[in-house]
Amino acid sequence: ADKDVYLHLLMVYLRKDGGAKGPGVRAGDCDLSPALSLLSNHFACMDPVKVMEVLPQDIPVVQIQSYLGKVMRHLDSQRRSMQISHQLLKVHYANLSYRETQLKIDQQSDIAKVPALSKHMPVKRRSEPIDLSEHESECDVHYIRHICDSHVVLQFVVKNRVEGQRMEDVRVKLFIDNDSYELVDEIPLQALPYNSTGSCYVVLKTFQTVGTISTSFSCELQFETLRKESMMGAPRIYSDSVTLSNIELSTSD
């Protein structure tokens, strides 16, 4: 609305009483001084495209050179401000996304806060953390046994050590080959950024046995990563895995 007010005032300056206005007016038919002064003082308050449409077609460029220079600098300043605002929005989005991911990781690291595990609670006892990863592995992995009434909940605590790598759909695959345990559920970790530590879970159903039976399971860490094959190419999702040490379980746990 404000821009239209100044534009209408410009049109008034560019016509004689009862005469033509805009391109129909020749530069010599009107006093350009008030119009040029208005352009100089209020260039930011008018649409430059509309201004050029109402100016006389034969107006010497040298007379509006100052106005054009001011408008170009103003538009360039607006463009830079928009770029800065865009970058700030990207930073704010990235920070918010990171905080959301960390909140999810923190909540899933607490077995009592994982909704899918609530039906197996309470935990009667738990083991100390047991390391499963190789010394030079790209991830640190250890697990904790949570013993419930008829289930064992295995909590796998994973730390992403690869700089620049974001792991997604992080889970531990158990290879079960006996009748002492039955796989009930796998609860993966949605995302794990670099240098973050989070938990995924495996739930096993236990059965009554005669005597104590010890079992060793082979297992591997499975996850997905987003990689770019080239600077110009689109990122692609790759599945990856890391072999872990065997898990030892006993019916006496």
Side-chain angles (χ1 to χ4, degrees), residues 103-200:
L103 179 61
K104 290 179 178 178
I105 290 173
D106 292 343
Q107 290 183 349
Q108 187 155 326
S109 296
D110 184 347
I111 188 173
K113 295 182 180 180
V114 181
L117 296 176
S118 61
K119 57 188 175 184
H120 304 302
M121 298 294 104
V123 174
K124 297 167 63 176
R125 59 187 179 277
R126 57 176 51 87
S127 71
E128 293 297 320
I130 302 170
D131 191 23
L132 291 175
S133 53
E134 299 291 337
H135 178 66
E136 298 297 331
S137 175
E138 58 190 272
C139 301
D140 291 331
V141 184
H142 65 264
Y143 79 102
I144 302 169
R145 296 190 301 267
H146 300 274
I147 310 302
C148 306
D149 283 334
S150 59
H151 295 82
V152 176
V153 178
L154 301 177
Q155 178 181 3
F156 296 94
V157 182
V158 184
K159 180 175 182 179
N160 181 0
R161 296 172 53 194
V162 180
E163 187 171 358
Q165 173 179 268
R166 176 185 172 91
M167 302 167 64
E168 298 186 350
D169 193 25
V170 184
R171 64 183 70 221
V172 171
K173 175 69 176 179
L174 258 62
F175 300 97
I176 302 174
D177 56 1
N178 65 59
D179 298 329
S180 299
Y181 300 91
E182 177 186 334
L183 179 64
V184 174
D185 200 4
E186 291 181 347
I187 303 172
L189 181 60
Q190 183 179 358
L192 190 64
Y194 165 64
N195 208 31
S196 296
T197 301
S199 296
C200 57

Side-chain angles (χ1 to χ4, degrees), residues 32-233:
L32 292 176
S33 297
L36 295 176
S37 178
L38 180 69
L39 290 177
S40 179
N41 294 327
H42 302 286
F43 62 90
C45 301
M46 289 177 277
D47 184 335
V49 174
K50 292 182 179 179
V51 168
M52 297 305 293
E53 289 176 351
V54 302
L55 286 174
Q57 293 181 348
D58 63 341
I59 187 172
V61 174
V62 67
Q63 288 189 284
I64 57 173
Q65 193 69 54
S66 176
Y67 161 73
L68 293 175
K70 290 182 178 180
V71 168
M72 294 300 291
R73 289 191 294 273
H74 175 66
L75 292 177
D76 187 57
S77 176
Q78 285 187 316
R79 178 184 62 82
R80 289 197 301 270
S81 295
M82 291 179 65
Q83 288 177 337
I84 293 173
S85 297
H86 179 67
Q87 291 300 321
L88 288 174
L89 286 174
K90 288 176 65 176
V91 170
H92 291 329
Y93 176 83
N95 288 338
L96 182 60
S97 178
Y98 178 80
R99 290 178 180 273
E100 178 189 21
T101 299
Q102 290 300 319
L103 179 61
K104 290 179 178 178
I105 290 173
D106 292 343
Q107 290 183 349
Q108 187 155 326
S109 296
D110 184 347
I111 188 173
K113 295 182 180 180
V114 181
L117 296 176
S118 61
K119 57 188 175 184
H120 304 302
M121 298 294 104
V123 174
K124 297 167 63 176
R125 59 187 179 277
R126 57 176 51 87
S127 71
E128 293 297 320
I130 302 170
D131 191 23
L132 291 175
S133 53
E134 299 291 337
H135 178 66
E136 298 297 331
S137 175
E138 58 190 272
C139 301
D140 291 331
V141 184
H142 65 264
Y143 79 102
I144 302 169
R145 296 190 301 267
H146 300 274
I147 310 302
C148 306
D149 283 334
S150 59
H151 295 82
V152 176
V153 178
L154 301 177
Q155 178 181 3
F156 296 94
V157 182
V158 184
K159 180 175 182 179
N160 181 0
R161 296 172 53 194
V162 180
E163 187 171 358
Q165 173 179 268
R166 176 185 172 91
M167 302 167 64
E168 298 186 350
D169 193 25
V170 184
R171 64 183 70 221
V172 171
K173 175 69 176 179
L174 258 62
F175 300 97
I176 302 174
D177 56 1
N178 65 59
D179 298 329
S180 299
Y181 300 91
E182 177 186 334
L183 179 64
V184 174
D185 200 4
E186 291 181 347
I187 303 172
L189 181 60
Q190 183 179 358
L192 190 64
Y194 165 64
N195 208 31
S196 296
T197 301
S199 296
C200 57
Y201 298 85
V202 171
V203 181
L204 300 175
K205 181 176 177 59
T206 59
F207 299 93
Q208 288 187 346
T209 61
V210 178
T212 299
I213 298 178
S214 297
T215 307
S216 178
F217 297 120
S218 59
C219 59
E220 66 179 19
L221 178 69
Q222 299 178 344
F223 55 93
E224 294 179 345
T225 57
L226 203 62
R227 305 177 198 164
K228 292 184 70 173
E229 294 296 326
S230 65
M231 293 296 294
M232 301 301 293

